[in-house]
């Protein structure tokens, strides 16, 4: 496959590389589920919340040739057959479901495309340029082709994550599920700090937070309601381990893969489009609809664990 890059663009990009160091990133983004919104342009969907999940899916490449070729193709597309795209008719579909965000050093551009990469789109003109010879699709490697062929909406409908017992959430080996505040201090551990906040929403609400080391707990009438465990660069005087089925703060992402192959099937869930390979999460449910645990990933480690107990 050949990549054609105009000389003026090549030297422009090369000049940036010499001044600022080499950096190339192509983020391919697609609409993964059309249900529940009637926005024609993928960029409008991204503005509602630019996060990977049920509406948008994305993959990232550092292929320098692909980046240059996409930039060149956007310019070349102006010579192709042009047709109108009407994005103001409120259709329950997306006429522009694909975009490529290209970064080469400090140069940044976005290429929009129709389904199947059949046309390059100029949203400002509400026009598509027909790619009659399939040049855009021809630039994609096997992984990118598979990414665009996947039926994410169908997969999400049938996908089932992993589940564990609520009793698998433990502090120093003792289950936290159903523990009330007084019983907690008597049977498990004394709290070190109690913080009280007043919230003025639907009347005055007083919320209490109970802290042990880097663990924050809240209670309701049934017992422990939520737990947040935070990764902190600090050695506490007393070591207290909060574990979820053996996992704890600071463990590697690979441990999650081994324990929860279904819940970790979709990578980068919750990541921002600008930081695709960092700051995302995986969710594991408790059996019998007793709640969930969310593992937040940063720098390939569990940076935070959020736990919620329900009936």
């Amino acid at each position: 496959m050949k990549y054609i890059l105009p000389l003026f663009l090549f030297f422009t990009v090369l000049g940036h590389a010499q001044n600022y160091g080499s950096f190339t990133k192509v983020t391919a983004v697609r609409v993964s589920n059309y249900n529940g919104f009637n926005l024609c342009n993928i960029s409008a969907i991204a503005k509602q919340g630019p996060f990977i999940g049920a509406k948008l899916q994305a993959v990232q490449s550092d292929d320098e040739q692909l980046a240059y070729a996409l930039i060149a193709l956007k310019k070349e597309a102006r010579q192709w057959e042009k047709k109108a795209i009407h994005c103001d008719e409120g259709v329950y579909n997306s006429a522009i479901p694909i975009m490529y965000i290209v970064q080469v050093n400090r140069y940044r551009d976005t290429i929009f495309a129709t389904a199947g990469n059949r046309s390059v789109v100029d949203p400002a003109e509400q026009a598509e340029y027909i790619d009659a010879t399939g040049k855009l699709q021809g630039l994609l490697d096997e992984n990118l082709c598979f990414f665009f062929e996947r039926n994410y909406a169908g997969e999400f409908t049938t996908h089932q994550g992993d589940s564990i017992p609520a009793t698998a959430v433990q502090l120093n080996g003792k289950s936290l599920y159903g523990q009330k505040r007084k019983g907690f201090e008597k049977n498990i551990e004394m709290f070190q700090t109690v913080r009280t906040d007043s919230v003025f929403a639907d009347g005055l609400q007083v919320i209490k937070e109970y802290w042990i080391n880097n663990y924050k707990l809240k209670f309701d009438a049934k017992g422990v309601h939520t737990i947040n465990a935070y990764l902190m660069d600090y050695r506490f005087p007393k070591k207290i381990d909060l574990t979820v089925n053996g996992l704890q703060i600071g463990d590697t992402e690979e441990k999650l893969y081994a324990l929860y192959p279904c819940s970790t099937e979709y990578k980068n869930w919750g990541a921002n489009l600008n930081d695709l390979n960092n700051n995302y999460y995986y969710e594991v449910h408790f059996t019998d609809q007793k709640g969930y645990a969310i593992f937040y990933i940063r720098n390939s480690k569990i940076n935070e664990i959020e736990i919620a107990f329900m009936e």
Side-chain angles (χ1 to χ4, degrees), residues 119-130:
S119 300
V120 173
V121 180
D122 185 331
E125 290 185 353
Q126 294 202 48
E128 64 173 317
Y129 293 86
I130 310 300

Side-chain angles (χ1 to χ4, degrees), residues 40 81-89 95-96 114 119-123 125-130:
C40 175
E81 179 187 356
K82 179 180 177 181
K83 288 186 178 180
I85 283 185
H86 299 290
C87 276
D88 55 358
E89 298 176 353
I96 313 173
T114 57
S119 300
V120 173
V121 180
D122 185 331
E125 290 185 353
Q126 294 202 48
E128 64 173 317
Y129 293 86
I130 310 300

Side-chain angles (χ1 to χ4, degrees), residues 180-182 184-185 189-194 209-212 215 217 219 224:
K180 296 190 176 182
R181 186 186 63 79
K182 291 184 179 179
F184 187 102
E185 291 189 302
E189 191 70 36
M190 294 293 294
F191 293 110
Q192 300 158 348
T193 305
V194 180
E209 299 176 354
Y210 298 83
W211 285 83
I212 300 176
Y215 313 128
L217 296 88
F219 292 82
V224 178

